[in-house]
Amino acid sequence: MTHLLIVNSHVLDVHALTLRSGLSVLVSDGRIAAVGTDLSVPAGCTTLDARGMTLMPGLIDCHVHTVASSFNLGGVARQPNVFVMLRALPIMKAMLERGFTSVRDAGGADWSLAEAVRTGLVPGPRLFSSGKALSQTGGHADFRPRNDDLDACSCAYKLGNIGRVVDGVDACRLAVREEILKGASQIKVMASGGVASPNDPIGNLGYSEAELRAIVEEAGNANTYVMAHAYTPRAIARAVRCGVRTIEHGNLVDAPTAELMAELGAYMVPTLITYEGLANEGERYGLPAASIAKIESVRGQGRQAIEILARAGVKMGLGSDLLGETHPLQSDELRLRAEILGNGPVLQQATLIGAEILGQSGQLGEVTAGAIADLLLVDGNPLSDIRCLLNQGEHIRAILKDGLLHKNTL
């Protein structure tokens, strides 16, 4: 049994949004064994003096694409699986070094990547993978170009493709069952058009209601849930009425739709930072022209969407959704949201609410006895200055995941 005692830090209480001084935190075998004063310490326990620093939960990003090593997702989809895997490894390692100890992959990453991290084979955040996102023919995960004859889509088998093309109620049921069998933690569905795909305008709907309800039912049968890519009020309202639990992006949401989400207990995972990255770097790094033309139709309303959702009382998780060379912008999602909502609510989105979305309340996202010891020691106070969590984790002095020190510069 391994033990670590952290002393002299200011513990961030993400429930009350306060710093608690004078507490010690005992970590034993990957979990927080105790938080308090005058703790009984086992023999041979290592002590970490964190004087003046903030001890806080590891961050949770609820929308990443760890295999998206390029802006051109269609190009990634055609790469050999080994190349895709090798290019994903530094992306995951960098996420952990920024303080993201858990991430939910929204299409592409599979059980093997999650298991490689879990078993310590490669460094990275705890990975909740969706397997292949489900897309109708011509939907947001169908990267085939227009042609007289459409080639059969190989997307169900290539690791680099974030989704698979599937049509019809029975085929959707089978696809969900297959993704669950292959190890998906939750199911992702493309419920509207999107930016990074060639032939689906933002305003298009994805799937019939019968197909969406079948996908939700099958996920529920497996004791999990559905997350849906959707932008417009029509697509969002339709998805949550069909039982979708989390909406991804949602830039064009309006007040009545936000109120419907709150009424039905649906979560939103906005992804503001990806549109900054796409707009500023997309053309330079190979984002197709058709996708570049779509960016401004959703970018400008992202901040307004955050305000609308907050007024309606919709719970929001933190998401980044970055591609290619913009992965280093991940932590800037905190900054963008803090400019709108303030630091405290955004820290809760990146910890407590993220844990709720993952079905890990009490296990992740808080510094309490019994929780998994995913912890950050930060030089600074994120409640007053969110910048101490930016810049690739340079102010994060130590990172624990499952109670093990991944980084320690004390």
Side-chain angles (χ1 to χ4, degrees):
M1 183 175 285
T2 59
H3 307 282
L4 175 68
L5 182 67
I6 303 171
V7 298
N8 297 326
S9 70
H10 305 292
V11 177
L12 174 59
D13 183 337
V14 288
H15 292 273
L17 293 176
T18 59
L19 292 183
R20 302 171 64 196
S21 300
L23 301 179
S24 297
V25 175
L26 178 64
V27 174
S28 297
D29 279 356
R31 289 191 175 265
I32 299 172
V35 179
T37 58
D38 300 321
L39 299 182
S40 177
V41 180
C45 180
T46 301
T47 299
L48 201 62
D49 189 343
R51 187 175 304 276
M53 279 174 279
T54 298
L55 179 66
M56 63 176 287
L59 300 170
I60 300 171
D61 189 332
C62 284
H63 193 120
V64 304
H65 292 288
T66 56
V67 304
S69 58
S70 168
F71 276 89
N72 190 333
L73 293 178
V76 177
R78 293 187 291 272
Q79 291 176 358
N81 286 351
V82 172
F83 283 6
V84 173
M85 178 72 82
L86 291 175
R87 288 170 175 156
L89 299 184
I91 291 172
M92 293 194 301
K93 183 174 184 287
M95 288 179 178
L96 180 57
E97 290 175 349
R98 293 182 203 108
F100 289 91
T101 52
S102 294
V103 299
R104 184 178 64 159
D105 193 284
D110 63 3
W111 174 86
S112 64
L113 274 172
E115 188 69 0
V117 171
R118 188 190 70 81
T119 57
L121 183 62
V122 299
R126 180 178 292 98
L127 187 58
F128 294 82
S129 65
S130 301
K132 300 295 184 192
L134 308 187
S135 168
Q136 70 176 45
T137 294
H140 186 49
D142 189 345
F143 295 102
R144 293 174 293 178
R146 297 190 191 280
N147 211 326
D148 295 331
D149 295 303
L150 293 173
D151 295 329
C153 185
S154 63
C155 45
Y157 311 105
K158 298 288 285 184
L159 178 61
N161 202 314
I162 66 169
R164 59 187 290 184
V165 174
V166 57
D167 299 285
V169 168
D170 289 344
C172 286
R173 289 188 184 278
L174 176 59
V176 174
R177 292 171 185 175
E178 287 180 342
E179 294 305 323
I180 295 294
L181 174 61
K182 290 190 291 183
S185 301
Q186 63 282 324
I187 296 299
K188 168 76 177 295
V189 63
M190 304 304 192
S192 83
V195 170
S197 43
N199 302 316
D200 55 326
I202 296 294
N204 281 16
L205 295 177
Y207 285 119
S208 67
E209 292 192 18
E211 289 167 319
L212 287 174
R213 292 185 187 280
I215 291 166
V216 168
E217 180 184 6
E218 291 297 333
N221 290 347
N223 293 308
T224 188
Y225 65 93
V226 175
M227 55 190 291
H229 164 108
Y231 280 109
T232 64
R234 182 182 175 207
I236 295 166
R238 186 169 171 265
V240 297
R241 285 193 179 106
C242 288
V244 166
R245 184 163 174 263
T246 78
I247 298 294
E248 312 302 303
H249 317 302
N251 296 48
L252 306 181
V253 69
D254 59 15
T257 306
E259 290 162 6
L260 175 66
M261 289 186 67
E263 177 187 340
L264 297 178
Y267 296 82
M268 181 72 85
V269 180
T271 56
L272 301 184
I273 191 58
T274 193
Y275 306 103
E276 303 305 308
L278 290 169
N280 296 329
E281 303 290 345
E283 185 174 10
R284 176 184 175 192
Y285 288 116
L287 187 69
S291 296
I292 292 171
K294 296 180 183 180
I295 295 170
E296 288 307 318
S297 66
V298 294
R299 179 189 182 193
Q301 296 186 57
R303 288 173 175 260
Q304 182 183 357
I306 296 279
E307 295 171 346
I308 290 170
L309 293 161
R311 284 196 296 269
V314 176
K315 289 187 176 182
M316 289 177 269
L318 190 90
S320 59
D321 190 35
L322 292 160
L323 311 176
E325 289 77 6
T326 60
H327 279 291
L329 297 174
Q330 184 179 24
S331 303
D332 282 274
E333 182 73 20
L334 296 162
R335 174 183 58 81
L336 290 178
R337 294 201 196 186
E339 291 171 358
I340 304 165
L341 301 173
N343 295 357
V346 175
L347 289 169
Q348 290 179 325
Q349 291 171 8
T351 55
L352 286 176
I353 298 176
E356 280 185 35
I357 289 172
L358 298 175
Q360 298 291 314
S361 292
Q363 301 296 304
L364 299 174
E366 54 188 287
V367 186
T368 53
I372 295 169
D374 285 5
L375 301 168
L376 310 178
L377 277 169
V378 181
D379 191 4
N381 177 5
L383 284 172
S384 59
D385 189 356
I386 204 74
R387 291 176 298 177
C388 64
L389 297 176
L390 308 185
N391 299 317
Q392 311 311 307
E394 69 176 3
H395 297 292
I396 301 175
R397 302 290 305 280
I399 299 172
L400 282 84
K401 178 171 162 284
D402 287 315
L404 299 177
L405 277 163
H406 170 74
K407 172 183 179 180
N408 181 12
T409 63
L410 296 179

